Short mmCIF file of all heavy atoms in Angstrom, two decimals:
data_model
loop_
_atom_site.label_atom_id
_atom_site.label_comp_id
_atom_site.label_asym_id
_atom_site.label_seq_id
_atom_site.Cartn_x
_atom_site.Cartn_y
_atom_site.Cartn_z
N THR A 9 122.38 161.58 99.04
CA THR A 9 121.47 161.82 100.16
C THR A 9 120.04 162.05 99.67
O THR A 9 119.81 162.55 98.56
CB THR A 9 121.92 163.03 101.00
OG1 THR A 9 122.08 164.17 100.14
CG2 THR A 9 123.24 162.75 101.70
N THR A 11 116.86 163.83 101.40
CA THR A 11 116.80 164.70 102.58
C THR A 11 115.51 165.49 102.71
O THR A 11 114.68 165.54 101.79
CB THR A 11 117.95 165.75 102.51
OG1 THR A 11 117.65 166.65 101.43
CG2 THR A 11 119.29 165.09 102.23
N ASP A 13 114.81 169.34 103.35
CA ASP A 13 115.51 170.62 103.32
C ASP A 13 114.64 171.79 103.81
O ASP A 13 113.43 171.83 103.54
CB ASP A 13 115.93 170.97 101.89
CG ASP A 13 117.07 170.09 101.37
OD1 ASP A 13 117.69 169.36 102.17
OD2 ASP A 13 117.33 170.16 100.15
N GLY A 27 114.61 166.98 99.19
CA GLY A 27 115.88 167.42 98.64
C GLY A 27 116.89 166.29 98.71
O GLY A 27 116.52 165.12 98.87
N GLY A 28 118.14 166.65 98.62
CA GLY A 28 119.21 165.66 98.70
C GLY A 28 119.93 165.50 97.38
O GLY A 28 119.31 165.58 96.31
N SER A 29 121.23 165.26 97.49
CA SER A 29 122.05 165.12 96.29
C SER A 29 121.56 163.94 95.45
O SER A 29 121.49 164.02 94.21
CB SER A 29 123.50 164.93 96.68
OG SER A 29 123.64 163.80 97.51
N TYR A 32 118.02 164.83 93.72
CA TYR A 32 118.14 165.72 92.56
C TYR A 32 118.80 165.01 91.37
O TYR A 32 118.37 165.16 90.23
CB TYR A 32 118.93 166.98 92.93
CG TYR A 32 118.13 167.99 93.71
CD1 TYR A 32 118.43 168.28 95.04
CD2 TYR A 32 117.08 168.67 93.11
CE1 TYR A 32 117.70 169.22 95.76
CE2 TYR A 32 116.34 169.61 93.82
CZ TYR A 32 116.66 169.89 95.14
OH TYR A 32 115.93 170.81 95.84
N PHE A 81 118.11 162.73 107.11
CA PHE A 81 119.10 163.80 106.95
C PHE A 81 118.35 165.12 106.77
O PHE A 81 117.43 165.21 105.98
CB PHE A 81 119.94 163.48 105.71
CG PHE A 81 121.04 164.46 105.36
CD1 PHE A 81 122.37 164.05 105.37
CD2 PHE A 81 120.78 165.77 104.95
CE1 PHE A 81 123.41 164.91 105.00
CE2 PHE A 81 121.81 166.63 104.60
CZ PHE A 81 123.12 166.21 104.63
N TRP A 83 118.90 169.35 106.12
CA TRP A 83 119.83 170.44 105.76
C TRP A 83 119.06 171.75 105.64
O TRP A 83 117.91 171.76 105.21
CB TRP A 83 120.49 170.08 104.41
CG TRP A 83 121.39 171.15 103.87
CD1 TRP A 83 122.69 171.39 104.21
CD2 TRP A 83 121.04 172.13 102.87
NE1 TRP A 83 123.17 172.46 103.48
CE2 TRP A 83 122.19 172.93 102.65
CE3 TRP A 83 119.88 172.41 102.15
CZ2 TRP A 83 122.21 174.00 101.76
CZ3 TRP A 83 119.90 173.47 101.24
CH2 TRP A 83 121.06 174.23 101.06
N TYR A 87 119.84 181.87 101.16
CA TYR A 87 120.45 182.58 100.02
C TYR A 87 120.41 184.09 100.22
O TYR A 87 119.44 184.63 100.76
CB TYR A 87 119.71 182.23 98.72
CG TYR A 87 119.94 180.81 98.30
CD1 TYR A 87 119.11 179.79 98.72
CD2 TYR A 87 121.04 180.48 97.52
CE1 TYR A 87 119.36 178.47 98.37
CE2 TYR A 87 121.29 179.17 97.15
CZ TYR A 87 120.43 178.18 97.59
OH TYR A 87 120.68 176.88 97.24
N ARG A 94 125.43 181.42 99.44
CA ARG A 94 124.53 180.57 100.22
C ARG A 94 125.20 180.23 101.54
O ARG A 94 126.35 179.81 101.55
CB ARG A 94 124.22 179.29 99.47
CG ARG A 94 123.39 178.32 100.31
CD ARG A 94 122.93 177.13 99.52
NE ARG A 94 123.94 176.10 99.44
CZ ARG A 94 123.86 175.05 98.64
NH1 ARG A 94 122.83 174.91 97.83
NH2 ARG A 94 124.80 174.14 98.64
N THR A 99 123.49 171.16 109.07
CA THR A 99 123.60 169.87 108.38
C THR A 99 123.46 168.81 109.47
O THR A 99 124.32 168.69 110.32
CB THR A 99 124.98 169.73 107.70
OG1 THR A 99 125.16 170.80 106.78
CG2 THR A 99 125.10 168.40 106.96
N ASN A 125 126.95 163.78 96.41
CA ASN A 125 127.44 164.17 97.73
C ASN A 125 126.96 163.22 98.84
O ASN A 125 125.78 163.04 99.03
CB ASN A 125 126.94 165.58 98.06
CG ASN A 125 128.03 166.56 97.85
OD1 ASN A 125 129.09 166.47 98.47
ND2 ASN A 125 127.81 167.48 96.94
N ASP A 126 127.93 162.68 99.55
CA ASP A 126 127.68 161.68 100.59
C ASP A 126 129.00 161.55 101.34
O ASP A 126 130.02 162.03 100.87
CB ASP A 126 127.35 160.32 99.92
CG ASP A 126 126.01 159.78 100.37
OD1 ASP A 126 125.48 160.25 101.38
OD2 ASP A 126 125.49 158.86 99.70
N MET A 149 131.69 168.23 98.19
CA MET A 149 131.44 169.63 98.56
C MET A 149 132.30 170.03 99.74
O MET A 149 132.96 169.20 100.36
CB MET A 149 129.95 169.86 98.80
CG MET A 149 129.39 169.15 100.01
SD MET A 149 127.58 169.09 100.00
CE MET A 149 127.16 170.82 100.16
N PHE A 151 131.74 170.71 102.79
CA PHE A 151 131.51 169.99 104.05
C PHE A 151 132.44 168.78 104.16
O PHE A 151 133.08 168.57 105.18
CB PHE A 151 130.04 169.55 104.11
CG PHE A 151 129.66 168.86 105.41
CD1 PHE A 151 129.21 169.59 106.49
CD2 PHE A 151 129.76 167.48 105.52
CE1 PHE A 151 128.87 168.96 107.68
CE2 PHE A 151 129.41 166.84 106.70
CZ PHE A 151 128.96 167.58 107.79
N TRP A 152 132.53 167.99 103.10
CA TRP A 152 133.34 166.76 103.15
C TRP A 152 134.82 167.06 103.01
O TRP A 152 135.65 166.33 103.56
CB TRP A 152 132.87 165.75 102.08
CG TRP A 152 131.44 165.38 102.32
CD1 TRP A 152 130.37 165.68 101.53
CD2 TRP A 152 130.90 164.71 103.47
NE1 TRP A 152 129.21 165.23 102.10
CE2 TRP A 152 129.50 164.63 103.29
CE3 TRP A 152 131.47 164.18 104.64
CZ2 TRP A 152 128.67 164.04 104.24
CZ3 TRP A 152 130.63 163.58 105.57
CH2 TRP A 152 129.26 163.52 105.37
N PRO A 232 118.21 177.89 93.78
CA PRO A 232 119.27 177.13 93.11
C PRO A 232 119.64 175.82 93.79
O PRO A 232 120.46 175.08 93.27
CB PRO A 232 120.49 178.08 93.15
CG PRO A 232 120.01 179.34 93.76
CD PRO A 232 118.74 179.08 94.47
N THR A 233 119.03 175.51 94.93
CA THR A 233 119.39 174.29 95.64
C THR A 233 119.26 173.06 94.73
O THR A 233 118.21 172.87 94.12
CB THR A 233 118.49 174.09 96.88
OG1 THR A 233 118.54 175.28 97.66
CG2 THR A 233 118.94 172.90 97.70
N GLY A 234 120.31 172.28 94.66
CA GLY A 234 120.26 171.06 93.87
C GLY A 234 120.64 171.25 92.41
O GLY A 234 120.63 170.28 91.64
N ALA A 235 121.02 172.48 92.03
CA ALA A 235 121.37 172.72 90.63
C ALA A 235 122.59 171.87 90.25
O ALA A 235 122.62 171.25 89.17
CB ALA A 235 121.66 174.19 90.39
N GLY A 236 123.57 171.81 91.15
CA GLY A 236 124.77 171.04 90.86
C GLY A 236 124.47 169.55 90.70
O GLY A 236 124.99 168.88 89.81
N ASP A 237 123.60 169.04 91.56
CA ASP A 237 123.24 167.62 91.50
C ASP A 237 122.39 167.34 90.26
O ASP A 237 122.49 166.26 89.65
CB ASP A 237 122.44 167.22 92.75
CG ASP A 237 123.13 167.70 94.01
OD1 ASP A 237 124.32 167.43 94.18
OD2 ASP A 237 122.47 168.39 94.82
P1 LIG B 401 123.58 171.67 95.90
O1 LIG B 401 122.69 172.87 95.86
O2 LIG B 401 123.86 171.09 94.57
O3 LIG B 401 124.80 171.90 96.73
O4 LIG B 401 122.79 170.51 96.66
C1 LIG B 401 122.03 170.78 97.80
C2 LIG B 401 121.42 169.49 98.30
O5 LIG B 401 122.44 168.67 98.87
C3 LIG B 401 120.38 169.73 99.35
O6 LIG B 401 119.18 169.11 98.96
C4 LIG B 401 120.95 169.12 100.63
O7 LIG B 401 120.03 168.42 101.37
C5 LIG B 401 122.07 168.22 100.17
N1 LIG B 401 123.25 168.33 101.03
C6 LIG B 401 123.63 169.41 101.76
N2 LIG B 401 124.76 169.16 102.45
C7 LIG B 401 125.11 167.88 102.17
C8 LIG B 401 126.19 167.03 102.57
N3 LIG B 401 127.14 167.44 103.41
N4 LIG B 401 126.24 165.79 102.04
C9 LIG B 401 125.30 165.37 101.19
N5 LIG B 401 124.26 166.10 100.78
C10 LIG B 401 124.14 167.35 101.25
#
Side-chain angles (χ1 to χ4, degrees):
T9 54
T11 69
D13 289 348
S29 58
Y32 283 112
F81 180 117
W83 175 82
Y87 291 90
R94 175 173 83 190
T99 302
N125 258 301
D126 237 344
M149 67 195 294
F151 183 89
W152 300 113
T233 307
D237 312 308

